[in-house]
């Protein structure tokens, strides 16, 4: 029989990798909570409409990256490709649009049918934040500052660049769209097939093209900045001013657009050169039109999402917490195992991390204790058990002492061992 494999582009998170994922999520969540963002979780499966209406039919995600499932009732469902649309849907379905502002943090798996490669999976994981109901620049600045603080805590911020741009309001964006399309029409024969297709349907996305020929044409394309009206410019200036005051370095990138339809005004990405071509670790922007697109009231929003796998690839050894060394229970014979489990329970209640060793005699079990990197072995032989004692062996020095079981926790704590 052939061995079963995971689905292409979907990875197991084995314990060592999982620890790093959890570290990223826990750090991000704690920082987000210190800003007053509360954790939210929405279902992994949504009606296709949730993404179709918001991201638009012509977005890469909806047109070619979604996992679609039909349930037994014939509903058109999809595995969520991103978090924002689902969170916005939740705001509406739970009638939360009256209690603004709303500040949410989320973490979880996303699914996209893409060509798997380094830093690009079909099931990957996002952390993200959404801030609803704040139309002013203070909201944009705050979510960027939150992103920056998380990256700093993860010891990543010195190796990423915050690239920032504005798409302006709808007037500016439409003006730009028309000018870009006019320019690209003159070069249509030289455009890549993908970009040709995007020209009518989603022209701004062409700015994101990785094709060398497209890039050459784009060099002389009209710039977004030339289409910005006074209000859009003012909004953007205020954000940049705020970032300067908070000492968050950034680089203007007039080519930066977000691939999704609902963005306006600020768009930003934290990028790195460390991960080859999958260089964007965190991306976001303002999406004032989103809730209205879904049939709700006009509620402004701004947020971002970061790929946990890409953040994990950038973690350095020093920043990952080293797990606390356990204590190992070492009964000298199998018939003493149950006393070992009993002692372990007591010690865990006193705050220790305690692991059982399984099978064999003293020598074999001490080897196992070393293998799990235990700091001490708690040895239980016939004498210890009959007198409620335990032999505490320091596995680094080999020193051992006999102690009443009831006092062994204090003894360890006095030595600074948990
Ligand atoms: P890209 O240009 O890399 O395709 P995107 O614009 O599709 O990114 P977003 O939808 O903005 O990405 O998602 C935010 C972040 O999620 C990205 O910056 C990246 O870190 C991560 N991400 C997106 N798609 C994947 C994927 N298939 N595998 C792993 N991480 C991903
Ligand atoms: Mg993508």
């Amino acid at each position: 029989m052939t061995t079963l494999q995971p689905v292409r582009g979907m990875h197991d998170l084995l314990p060592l990798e999982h620890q790093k994922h959890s570290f990223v999520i826990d750090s991000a969540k704690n920082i987000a909570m210190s800003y007053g963002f509360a954790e939210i979780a929405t279902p992994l499966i949504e009606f296709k409409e949730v993404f179709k209406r918001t991201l638009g039919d012509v977005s890469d995600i909806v047109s070619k990256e979604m996992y679609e499932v039909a349930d037994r009732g014939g509903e058109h469902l999809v595995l969520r490709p991103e978090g924002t649309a689902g969170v916005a849907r939740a705001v509406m379905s739970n009638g939360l649009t009256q209690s603004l502002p709303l500040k949410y943090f989320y973490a979880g798996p996303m699914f996209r049918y893409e060509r798997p490669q380094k830093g690009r999976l079909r099931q990957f994981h996002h952390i993200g934040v959404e801030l609803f109901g704040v139309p002013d620049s203070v909201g944009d600045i705050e979510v960027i500052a939150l992103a920056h603080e998380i990256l700093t805590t993860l010891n990543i911020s010195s190796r990423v660049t915050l690239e920032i741009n504005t798409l302006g309001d709808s007037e500016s964006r439409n003006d730009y769209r028309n000018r870009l399309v006019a320019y690209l029409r003159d070069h249509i024969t030289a455009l890549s097939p993908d970009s040709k297709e995007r020209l009518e349907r989603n022209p701004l996305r062409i700015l994101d093209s990785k094709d060398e020929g497209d890039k050459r044409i784009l060099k002389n394309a009209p710039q977004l900045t030339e289409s910005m009206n006074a209000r859009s410019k003012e909004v953007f200036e205020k954000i940049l001013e705020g970032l300067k005051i908070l000492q968050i370095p950034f680089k203007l990138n007039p080519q930066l657009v977000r691939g999704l339809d609902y963005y306006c005004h600020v768009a930003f990405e934290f990028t790195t050169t460390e991960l080859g071509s999958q260089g964007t670790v965190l991306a976001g922007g303002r999406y004032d039109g989103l809730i209205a697109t879904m049939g709700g009231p006009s509620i402004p929003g701004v947020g971002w999402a970061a790929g946990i796998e890409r953040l994990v690839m950038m973690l350095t050894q020093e920043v990952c917490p080293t797990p606390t060394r356990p204590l190992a229970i070492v009964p000298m014979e199998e018939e003493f195992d149950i006393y070992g489990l009993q002692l372990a329970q007591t010690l865990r209640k006193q705050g220790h991390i305690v692991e059982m060793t399984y099978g064999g005699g003293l020598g074999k079990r001490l080897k196992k204790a070393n293998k799990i990197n235990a700091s001490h072995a708690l040895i239980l032989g016939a004498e210890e058990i009959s007198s409620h004692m335990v032999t505490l062996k320091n596995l680094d020095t080999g020193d051992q002492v006999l102690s009443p079981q009831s006092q062994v926790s204090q003894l360890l704590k006095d030595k600074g061992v948990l």
Side-chain angles (χ1 to χ4, degrees), residues 258-415:
R258 307 290 310 127
L260 312 181
D261 265 6
Y262 50 66
Y263 282 101
C264 61
H265 291 291
V266 75
F268 56 90
E269 289 185 353
F270 285 86
T271 59
T272 179
T273 51
E274 286 182 15
L275 302 178
S277 56
Q278 318 310 326
T280 305
V281 293
L282 184 151
R286 179 165 279 277
Y287 45 79
D288 290 350
L290 175 65
I291 299 235
T293 321
M294 298 181 104
S298 165
I299 290 176
V302 56
W304 53 257
I308 299 180
E309 284 77 5
R310 294 187 195 178
L311 293 172
V312 163
M313 282 193 278
M314 291 194 74
L315 289 182
T316 48
Q317 202 60 44
E318 315 85 74
V319 76
C320 297
T322 38
T324 309
R325 293 171 73 184
L327 303 173
I329 300 284
V330 178
M332 286 164 74
E333 290 172 37
E334 262 168 46
E335 63 181 291
F336 304 146
D337 278 353
I338 192 66
Y339 300 107
L341 291 182
Q342 213 175 20
L343 176 61
Q345 273 185 348
T346 310
L347 287 170
R348 289 187 196 112
K349 283 197 190 115
Q350 290 165 317
H352 301 278
I353 295 173
V354 191
E355 283 194 48
M356 187 65 181
T357 55
Y358 312 102
L362 182 64
K364 205 168 159 198
R365 294 209 198 201
L366 281 175
K367 258 193 205 140
K368 289 179 183 171
N370 277 315
K371 205 166 163 199
I372 58 170
N373 196 28
S375 65
H376 293 76
L378 292 132
I379 303 168
L380 292 168
E383 261 168 55
E384 280 93 344
I385 286 163
S386 62
S387 55
H388 298 288
M389 304 286 275
V390 60
T391 298
L392 180 66
K393 184 181 174 78
N394 182 321
L395 292 174
D396 294 333
T397 62
D399 297 345
Q400 57 183 57
V401 287
L402 192 66
S403 156
Q405 290 187 14
S406 59
Q407 286 172 28
V408 73
S409 170
Q410 198 53 53
L411 193 66
L412 285 161
K413 285 177 185 166
D414 289 347
K415 295 186 192 185

Side-chain angles (χ1 to χ4, degrees), residues 30 36 43 64 76 88 105 124 139 155 181 191 225 234 254-255 332 343 345-346 349-350 378 392 401 411:
N30 287 336
K64 52 187 183 209
H76 288 288
F105 168 85
F124 64 99
N155 198 19
V181 171
L191 280 179
T225 33
E234 198 185 311
Q255 305 275 75
M332 286 164 74
L343 176 61
Q345 273 185 348
T346 310
K349 283 197 190 115
Q350 290 165 317
L378 292 132
L392 180 66
V401 287
L411 193 66

Side-chain angles (χ1 to χ4, degrees), residues 131 134-147 164 235-236 238-240 243 246 248 264-268 285-288 301-304:
L131 170 60
V134 179
D136 309 319
S137 310
V138 64
D140 308 69
I141 300 167
E142 192 178 35
V143 299
I144 295 174
L146 172 52
I164 192 165
V235 169
F236 192 46
K238 223 170 141 187
I239 295 172
L240 301 183
L243 294 177
L246 296 183
I248 299 172
C264 61
H265 291 291
V266 75
F268 56 90
R286 179 165 279 277
Y287 45 79
D288 290 350
V302 56
W304 53 257

